[in-house]
Amino acid sequence: METRIPELGRFAEPALLILVSLSDGPKHGYAIMADVEAGTGRPLGPGTLYAALARLEERGLIEALAPVDRRRPYRLTAVGATILAEQLHELSEFAQLGLKRLARSSG
Amino acid sequence: MINLLLRLYPPRWRARYGDEFAAVLEERPLGPFDVADVLLGALDAHLHLRGLGAASQHAKGFAMSLRIGGYAAILGGILWFVALAGNAINDGADSGSSVLGITLMTSIVVATAATLVALVGLSAFQSRRHPVLTWTAFAIPAIGAVLGLLGVVAMAVAGDTDSTFFGGLSAYLISTIGVTALVLGSALFAIATWLSGSLSRAASALLLVGALLFVPAMGGVTGGIVPPALGYLVLIGAILAFPAGWIALGLSALRIDGPRPITLEGASL
C-alpha cells in the first residue's frame, strides 16, 4: 500500500516511522533512531534517518528546535500531526479490511 | 572515520545537519551497515540538493540492504560451491584444464566480492549488538579478498602457481591465505548472527560448521594433519556446508524482506 505523505516517494516509510516517533513529543536524531528500532525491531540507518528528516523539514511536517549541546530535537508541526493522523487512520482501515478478509478466508 | 564520512556530504548539507549528524554517529559504534547507509545517504544528499533526489535508490534502507545482502549471499554461495567443487575435481585430475582453471579463478574472485557485499548487507542487527565481532568479520575477509585477488592475478600473469611472487610466498599460497581469511571471517559472522538471532540460527550454524570444516579439510588434503581418507570426507563436508550456509542465510534475509505468504482465497477483492 502506498503511503500518502506527500512527495516523499521511497522515503515515505522511514518518514512515517519518524512522524510516529515524534507523535509523543520532540526527540533528537539518536532518540528517534532508537525509538523506531525499538518499535519496529528493524534498524534505521543514520543516513536514511537524516535523508528523511531533511525531506520532512522541507515540507513543513516537522520543525527543528534549538539544539541542546550538539543534539537538535525535532517536533511535529500542526500540518505534520494532521497528515500523520490521516495516514494512520487510512492504515488502520486497511488493516481492518485485511483482517476481515483473512477471517473470512480461514473461517 | 566520522569526520571522513561527514566530508562526503555536500557543504550546504553539512552546514545545516553536520553537527547533529556527527553527534548521532558518535552515540554508538558504527557497523558496516551504518557505514554503507551513510555512504548512500551522502550520495542521496548530493542528488537531492541538485533536485535529483527521486533518482536515488537509498530510500528502502534496511529492506534494500537485506535484499542486496540476501542475493549476494546466494550468488556467493553458488559460486563458492562451483569454485570449491571444481577446484577439488581439477586437483584430482591428472592434468588440470587451463579453461577450467580460469573459470575457477573467476568464480573465486566474484564469490569473494559477493561475500563481502553479503557481509555488509546482512550485518545491520549484528553490528548493533556485536560491533567488534561484526567489523572483524568484515575486515578479515576484506584483507583476504585483496590477498586472494593479488594471488589470482599473479597466477594468471605468471601462468605458474609455484613461482615466488611476494615476500617469498607463491601466488597460490597467497590466494589460499586470502580464501582462508574469507572463511575465517565467515565463521565470525556466523557467530555474530547466531548471537544476535537476527537471521536464521540454523543457517548460521550451517555456515559456521562449513567454515570450521575448512581448516581440517585443508590440513587433511594438503598438509597431512589428518589421514587422507578422513581429510577428503571433511573436505566434501566443507564444500557442501560452507556454500549452503551462505545460501541459507541469503534466503533467510529475503524471507524477512519479502511479502508474507497470505492466502486470500475466497476473499472479495
Side-chain angles (χ1 to χ4, degrees):
Chain A
M1 181 188 181
E2 191 178 348
T3 53
R4 289 284 190 83
I5 297 173
E7 296 171 17
L8 290 181
R10 291 178 291 271
F11 278 96
E13 185 184 332
L16 178 64
L17 297 174
I18 291 167
L19 292 179
V20 170
S21 176
L22 294 177
S23 62
D24 64 352
K27 290 186 184 70
H28 55 75
Y30 180 72
I32 294 171
M33 203 158 73
D35 188 45
V36 167
E37 289 181 3
T40 64
R42 290 184 168 202
L44 176 64
T48 303
L49 170 70
Y50 269 83
L53 278 177
R55 283 163 169 79
L56 288 170
E57 192 181 12
E58 277 172 16
R59 286 157 180 77
L61 304 188
I62 62 171
E63 62 186 357
L65 303 175
V68 181
D69 295 331
R70 292 156 63 214
R71 296 168 159 186
R72 184 187 293 277
Y74 290 87
R75 75 174 168 205
L76 278 182
T77 61
V79 176
T82 305
I83 287 180
L84 175 63
E86 284 176 8
Q87 184 66 47
L88 292 177
H89 187 67
E90 286 179 10
L91 285 171
S92 174
E93 285 180 349
F94 187 69
Q96 291 300 320
L97 175 67
L99 288 170
K100 279 179 192 165
R101 287 179 176 180
L102 272 177
R104 271 207 305 268
S105 66
S106 60
Chain B
M1 181 200 253
I2 289 174
N3 282 336
L4 188 68
L5 290 173
L6 273 173
R7 282 176 192 279
L8 298 174
Y9 280 83
R12 245 173 77 201
W13 191 96
R14 285 205 305 270
R16 167 62 185 84
Y17 296 104
D19 274 355
E20 56 184 290
F21 191 57
V24 168
L25 297 180
E26 287 164 7
E27 285 281 355
R28 63 186 176 197
L30 297 175
F33 166 79
D34 298 303
V35 173
D37 187 70
V38 171
L39 292 177
L40 290 171
L43 174 65
D44 173 76
H46 282 282
L47 294 173
H48 187 61
L49 290 181
R50 287 171 173 77
L52 298 170
S56 167
Q57 292 298 317
H58 176 224
K60 289 291 185 183
F62 177 63
M64 182 69 81
S65 160
L66 264 184
R67 197 172 308 157
I68 292 171
Y71 283 125
I74 292 168
L75 175 67
I78 292 169
L79 288 175
W80 277 121
F81 178 76
V82 170
L84 297 173
N87 194 49
I89 293 166
N90 202 33
D91 281 352
D94 290 339
S95 58
S97 153
S98 61
V99 174
L100 180 59
I102 291 170
T103 306
L104 295 180
M105 284 180 191
T106 308
S107 298
I108 289 174
V109 170
V110 180
T112 300
T115 305
L116 289 177
V117 172
L119 282 167
V120 174
L122 303 182
S123 67
F125 277 106
Q126 297 90 322
S127 60
R128 294 279 189 275
R129 294 165 201 174
H130 309 283
V132 175
L133 192 58
T134 307
W135 266 114
T136 309
F138 176 75
I140 290 177
I143 294 167
V146 174
L147 286 175
L149 195 60
L150 277 175
V152 167
V153 169
M155 281 191 280
V157 170
D160 179 5
T161 59
D162 295 326
S163 60
T164 300
F165 172 61
F166 179 75
L169 301 174
S170 70
Y172 178 76
L173 187 57
I174 290 174
S175 67
T176 303
I177 291 170
V179 171
T180 306
L182 195 132
V183 170
L184 177 61
S186 298
L188 295 177
F189 180 72
I191 293 170
T193 307
W194 169 275
L195 290 174
S196 69
S198 53
L199 298 171
S200 160
R201 281 197 159 128
S204 309
L206 187 60
L207 179 62
L208 181 61
V209 167
L212 293 179
L213 282 176
F214 253 95
V215 180
M218 292 173 83
V221 174
T222 62
I225 295 172
V226 295
L230 181 60
Y232 281 112
L233 198 63
V234 174
L235 179 63
I236 291 169
I239 289 171
L240 292 175
F242 183 73
W246 272 117
I247 292 170
L249 272 179
L251 291 172
S252 160
L254 293 181
R255 270 199 298 275
I256 290 178
D257 179 45
R260 299 289 179 271
I262 297 171
T263 302
L264 291 176
E265 193 178 341
S268 56
L269 296 170

